[in-house]
Amino acid sequence: MDLSITELQLIKNSTLLHFDCPNCDSELVHKVAQLLLTGLATACIDNTAGDPFRSYASVAVPLRKDMVDYLTDRSQKFITESILGTAEAVPDQQVEVSDDPAEIISDFMDDFANFKRNLLGRVSGWLLSENREDKIDDFSQDMETDNFWPIDRREGISAIFIKNVDLKRKFHCGEKYDSADKLHEHMSNCNYRKIICENEGCRAKFSAFSKDGHDEVCAYKTVACEQKCGETLLRRDMDRHCITVCKMRMVNCPFYQIGCESAFVQSELAKHCQDFLSSHVLHVLKVVHKREGLNEDELEACRHKLKESDSWKDLSEARDVRSLSWAVKDLEAKL
């Protein structure tokens, strides 16, 4: 039987082997992988609630298999469920379907946990209790510590679930190629390929398209001081630097406690002490001669006498009340 060119092309397309790019948004994959552990812990806790003969760990292995099978089935049917849900909606009533894979998969896990709850696990008082939440958190941490379900395996499964429910291809690559060589060439430049942060000390992993976004917030990125002091430092040290050692940080005058209410950047301390020396000395004289009860005119006379001294400018080197007080007393004694 002779086949037309169109029919031959259809047969070729139907038997053509495709090589799909497996890359997904790495951060989303990790997030879903963490949700899987919490979802499993929830199912185990609710399935054994009030049962003295079964422990959480005793049901973890079979429930893990059941949950993976359930999520696989639900994620593969997601596109059908979405279409049917929209078709069955009331006319003129818009149905909102989430396009966040993490939210969709989380809903699937809630359904699975609900399906596996025993009689006590279905009691509303238990579901809302803090004790239940604490048990879920503790068991999740125990499984993480014991490496019961390794993160790399969870991430591999999570990527499959994400691709199944990401209908708009916002979170996975989805490119297809007719040869392994073309796929390999693509994956080395794929925007969804996993990369590691290049900043020393940072161990973050993310998809290539997120590199710039991560770089803007990476705690290990070396950046210039926000207050423009000229120093460079790790972003994670910025707050401490700006508050404690930055020469451009705002500080109160060291003579604030005796009357000078000026505030300025740290680098201008020496200039301030020179410009306001006369004012600082008057404040100090009030302290030094407090017991003598000198009036304003007498204090002014003391300051004038100090100004006439050749050592007047040396007083500006004092950077606090104590050192200036000693310098004033010493100069007055000499005079």
Side-chain angles (χ1 to χ4, degrees), residues 136-153:
I136 292 173
D137 291 340
D138 292 342
F139 191 44
S140 295
Q141 292 176 9
D142 290 343
M143 288 192 291
E144 187 82 61
T145 302
D146 297 339
N147 203 29
F148 169 76
W149 197 356
I151 184 64
D152 56 336
R153 294 185 182 180

Side-chain angles (χ1 to χ4, degrees), residues 196-204 206 214-215 218-223 233-237:
I196 301 175
C197 179
E198 298 175 351
N199 296 322
E200 185 176 355
C202 183
R203 302 172 63 184
F206 42 83
H214 171 79
D215 211 46
C218 179
Y220 293 88
K221 174 77 172 180
T222 300
V223 294
L233 61 151
L234 296 182
R235 182 177 279 117
R236 67 174 186 171
D237 297 329

Side-chain angles (χ1 to χ4, degrees), residues 256-275:
Y256 182 86
Q257 58 183 323
I258 60 172
C260 183
E261 299 181 354
S262 300
F264 43 83
V265 295
Q266 174 66 26
S267 60
E268 295 182 356
L269 174 60
K271 183 177 183 302
H272 172 79
C273 288
Q274 290 176 354
D275 295 344

Side-chain angles (χ1 to χ4, degrees), residues 223-237:
V223 294
C225 172
E226 294 176 349
Q227 298 179 152
K228 297 179 172 51
C229 73
E231 295 289 331
T232 56
L233 61 151
L234 296 182
R235 182 177 279 117
R236 67 174 186 171
D237 297 329

Side-chain angles (χ1 to χ4, degrees), residues 101-124:
E103 184 177 329
I104 296 168
I105 297 169
S106 181
D107 288 342
F108 292 166
M109 286 189 286
D110 289 342
D111 293 341
F112 174 77
N114 183 55
F115 176 69
K116 290 296 182 177
R117 287 187 185 120
N118 63 13
L119 184 60
L120 178 59
R122 297 179 186 277
V123 177
S124 60

